Amino acid sequence: MPTPDFLSALLRPELAELHAYTPVAGHFPVRLDANESPPLLSAEARAALARAAAPEDWGRYPDARVVELREAIAARCGVEPDEVLAGVGSDEVISILLTALSRPRPGADAASIVTTSPTFVMYKLSARARGMRAVEVPLDAGWDLDVAGLARAVEFARPSVVFIASPNNPTGALASADRLEAVIAKASDALVIVDEAYIDFAPRDQLALVRKHPNVAVLRTLSKIGLASLRVGWLVGDRALVAELDKVRQPYNLPVPSQRAATFALRELGGELRRAAAFIAEERERLARGLTELGLSVAPSHANFLWVGTRRPAGEVFEALAARGVLVRSFHGAGGRLAHRLRITVGLREENDRLLAEIAACA
Ligand code: PMP
């Protein structure tokens, strides 16, 4: 669609290089493409969530200060409510962060972020949409942080924010603790965001870094543990940072049903959500064994998905699976070492079995 001239003159030039995020449309009996949780919540939990979500008064705005939900998050994370900023998914928290921190360093014409490659695309998209530069440092051959490369990028780009997803999307790897510490030390005058979207599937978390380093904040979300429909994510960080970010947050960002259901889930459904995450972690290992037995290479994962090496080009395997009703995620468009990789979300047992049966025929 051609952009009218007057509009082209008004748009940020960076938008020309961006694409709207559009998940693959169509009907796929098995969808293992979006790192969501399969339906594991009990009927009782679903009914209780629906009751909890309903507003008392449909005509009123939500709580602008998100008091109860931030209290529930703080209790779950062992921090204080004023150390928590809640957003419409961690996506919104990322955009709030970048809006607040888009000031160019002295002598630079634009602010920068540094992150890894491959990683979650929203860091770069959100930064570019604000005219910020995004410097991506390739992960090493084992999909771990390249400390020397990141140190050089930090020195050269003088980023305002460094984003490290750990466990990382799409590779599933938890960053080595010593490497993450080394990156934080190198980026001591930037804000380092440790994105723990997948931490419920990992053997250890990194929240202690927030207390240890004043320049570290952690991102978390309810999206991967069965509550993606609510769009609730949050940042845990220094209260001075949270107070500044709160100036950028839209006052009524989180709808009443999301605030109420998320608060209920955090307070009352902890055990059930933990059991669901443990089931996914077990299924992940079973699926990994099955794929390995088929001769595919599977990177160790601490998330709710697997990073799978294919013999045939990943794009072809993706298409063949889709034609058989199984949707996964391919990154072959990026080329290089991603041309033979698929990201496969762990599903229900029968979905994983179906994936194994179909991929055996086409990978
Ligand atoms: N961070 C990472 C690393 C992710 O993979 C995702 C989801 N794909 C998000 C954040 C965004 O999650 P949310 O649904 O909370 O916006």
Side-chain angles (χ1 to χ4, degrees):
M1 196 186 319
T3 312
D5 286 347
F6 87 92
L7 194 53
S8 300
L10 301 177
L11 290 169
R12 289 208 72 99
E14 296 83 4
L15 297 195
E17 74 196 54
L18 304 182
H19 300 280
Y21 181 82
T22 41
V24 176
H27 176 68
F28 297 90
V30 180
R31 280 201 88 118
L32 303 175
D33 64 318
N35 296 347
E36 295 147 320
S37 170
L40 291 171
L41 285 180
S42 64
E44 296 75 39
R46 282 182 278 128
L49 271 170
R51 280 193 301 276
E56 272 151 24
D57 182 345
W58 291 92
R60 297 287 171 188
Y61 280 118
D63 173 11
R65 294 174 53 230
V66 201
V67 171
E68 290 207 16
L69 175 55
R70 286 192 301 119
E71 280 173 6
I73 292 169
R76 155 124 166 195
C77 295
V79 299
E80 295 300 321
D82 62 356
E83 296 173 301
V84 174
L85 180 104
V88 180
S90 20
D91 285 348
E92 191 196 29
V93 181
I94 293 165
S95 58
I96 291 172
L97 269 167
L98 292 175
T99 301
L101 297 170
S102 57
R103 172 185 182 158
R105 298 271 192 180
D109 58 353
S112 299
I113 68 154
V114 164
T115 190
T116 63
S117 170
T119 192
F120 182 45
V121 293
M122 283 311 290
Y123 312 138
K124 180 177 177 181
L125 274 181
S126 237
R128 295 301 288 147
R130 287 165 179 75
M132 298 172 77
R133 296 215 167 80
V135 178
E136 300 170 283
V137 179
L139 293 167
D140 75 5
W143 311 106
D144 201 353
L145 302 177
D146 169 5
V147 177
L150 283 160
R152 275 196 301 278
V154 164
E155 213 168 293
F156 156 78
R158 291 185 294 151
S160 306
V161 189
V162 177
F163 286 99
I164 305 289
S166 175
N168 185 42
N169 173 10
T171 60
L174 199 55
S176 304
D178 55 337
R179 295 193 188 194
L180 185 53
E181 286 275 2
V183 171
I184 292 166
K186 293 285 180 199
S188 58
D189 72 344
L191 179 65
V192 179
I193 297 294
V194 179
D195 185 343
E196 292 195 331
Y198 299 96
I199 207 63
D200 297 272
F201 311 99
R204 60 175 170 86
D205 72 48
Q206 300 141 129
L207 201 56
L209 292 172
V210 174
R211 291 269 178 266
K212 197 166 166 198
H213 304 279
N215 65 321
V216 173
V218 162
L219 284 185
R220 291 206 177 163
T221 179
L222 292 181
S223 295
K224 311 301 169 188
I225 54 169
L227 297 165
S229 62
L230 299 179
R231 302 298 295 124
V232 171
W234 62 86
L235 169 141
V236 174
D238 188 85
R239 45 176 66 81
L241 169 70
V242 169
E244 293 300 323
L245 298 178
D246 219 27
K247 298 177 185 172
V248 175
R249 184 179 63 85
Q250 308 272 342
Y252 304 117
N253 63 332
L254 276 165
V256 174
S258 295
Q259 291 198 35
R260 291 178 55 115
T263 303
F264 178 82
L266 287 163
R267 285 191 183 148
E268 309 292 338
L269 298 180
E272 185 156 341
L273 293 173
R274 267 192 299 281
R275 281 192 294 281
F279 169 81
I280 294 292
E282 254 174 57
E283 262 306 279
R284 177 187 71 206
E285 298 312 309
R286 187 180 77 88
L287 184 57
R289 281 194 300 277
L291 291 164
T292 308
E293 279 161 21
L294 294 174
L296 300 169
S297 73
V298 182
S301 169
H302 294 112
N304 65 343
F305 56 82
L306 291 171
W307 186 230
V308 180
T310 54
R311 285 181 296 266
R312 283 174 59 201
E316 288 175 30
V317 182
F318 168 83
E319 294 293 347
L321 284 173
R324 293 156 185 263
V326 180
L327 189 64
V328 298
R329 187 76 194 269
S330 171
F331 297 83
H332 63 274
R337 61 182 170 163
L338 304 196
H340 284 81
R341 285 273 161 186
L342 292 175
R343 190 193 72 192
I344 302 177
T345 306
V346 179
L348 295 172
R349 212 165 261 153
E350 52 272 28
E351 293 176 316
N352 302 330
D353 286 341
R354 170 90 182 266
L355 177 275
L356 284 170
E358 302 294 4
I359 207 169
C362 65

